[in-house]
Amino acid sequence: MTIVKTLMPALALMAPLPLHAQTASADAQTSAAAAVDPARLAAAQKLLGEMMPPERRQAMVEGMLRPMMANIQRGIMQSPQIDSALQSNPQAKPILQNYMKAQMEQAITMLRENMPGMVDAIAHAYARRFDAKQLADLRKFFATPTGKAYLEKSITIMSDPDVAAWQQKLMKQSMQHAQQDTKDLVAKLKAANSKNGSQ
């Protein structure tokens, strides 16, 4: 197996670098189309203004995103399949590392450029899920010492050693599945091509 074939699943896993790898459910898609009460939206916007002050938003989001992405990268590099492939071709290691670094910076830049849209989307999401009183209660909580401590410390969760270890373990498992899934896909495509060619 060539190193390119070995690395392909890793590259596929890295390409999107999603903040949350979740598929929208039918309910979520339906609620996204529902109109938002202006009073609830205004309350949600005030809440987000306190939870994520405009002058700190970029640092807060990057504080969560960068450690998460670094954990993913370490998980990929520590994968037995990738490690074996890189040992057989040492020149590929810096290429892969540069690729992953570029993907991280590209994702950060994209998020930074789309920050206003992200905050607006989150405000709408809050407005659909919480009424004005609940949003006011949340504002009161985040004004308390405990609430302020939560906002300050929550952005460091992704850099916690236990969370990092879990993410890296998950990425190694994903790599194993991706390797097998890629082989299965190639086999199915070859079979389909052979069948189509014989007709």
Side-chain angles (χ1 to χ4, degrees):
M1 178 181 291
T2 66
I3 190 167
V4 174
K5 288 182 180 179
T6 304
L7 292 176
M8 282 305 292
L11 304 184
L13 288 171
M14 282 293 298
L17 283 175
L19 290 177
H20 298 287
Q22 298 179 350
T23 303
S25 65
D27 291 341
Q29 293 172 351
T30 300
S31 66
V36 175
D37 175 30
R40 290 171 66 162
L41 180 59
Q45 290 169 334
K46 286 182 180 179
L47 173 62
L48 285 177
E50 295 177 12
M51 290 177 63
M52 301 175 65
E55 67 276 9
R56 294 195 60 216
R57 282 174 186 168
Q58 179 176 321
M60 290 175 72
V61 173
E62 288 193 30
M64 291 184 288
L65 185 59
R66 284 189 182 278
M68 180 183 73
M69 295 165 73
N71 290 335
I72 291 173
Q73 292 178 11
R74 279 193 290 269
I76 290 175
M77 296 301 291
Q78 293 171 4
S79 166
Q81 299 93 331
I82 299 299
D83 183 62
S84 176
L86 293 178
Q87 286 187 17
S88 66
N89 187 352
Q91 293 178 339
K93 185 172 183 177
I95 294 173
L96 179 59
Q97 289 175 326
N98 289 337
Y99 170 83
M100 291 192 294
K101 181 179 179 181
Q103 287 295 306
M104 177 189 289
E105 295 307 321
Q106 184 178 11
I108 294 290
T109 299
M110 189 183 306
L111 183 62
R112 188 182 300 131
E113 292 172 350
N114 289 276
M115 187 78 70
M118 181 192 78
V119 174
D120 183 61
I122 293 173
H124 280 76
Y126 271 58
R128 289 190 181 97
R129 289 161 176 79
F130 304 102
D131 62 32
K133 182 182 182 306
Q134 291 170 326
L135 291 165
D137 289 343
L138 286 169
R139 285 184 64 199
K140 290 178 183 177
F141 167 71
F142 288 122
T144 67
T146 299
K148 290 178 180 178
Y150 171 82
L151 290 176
E152 189 68 28
K153 301 296 184 181
S154 62
I155 63 174
T156 67
I157 294 297
M158 290 300 173
S159 60
D160 184 87
D162 285 333
V163 176
W166 174 82
Q167 285 186 322
Q168 291 170 37
K169 179 181 178 181
L170 186 65
M171 185 52 57
K172 289 178 184 178
Q173 292 177 351
S174 296
M175 283 297 303
Q176 292 173 352
H177 289 301
Q179 289 280 353
Q180 187 58 50
D181 291 345
T182 301
K183 291 178 183 178
D184 292 344
L185 175 62
V186 170
K188 289 178 181 178
L189 290 173
K190 286 182 177 179
N193 187 52
S194 299
K195 184 177 180 181
N196 186 52
S198 62
Q199 293 178 349

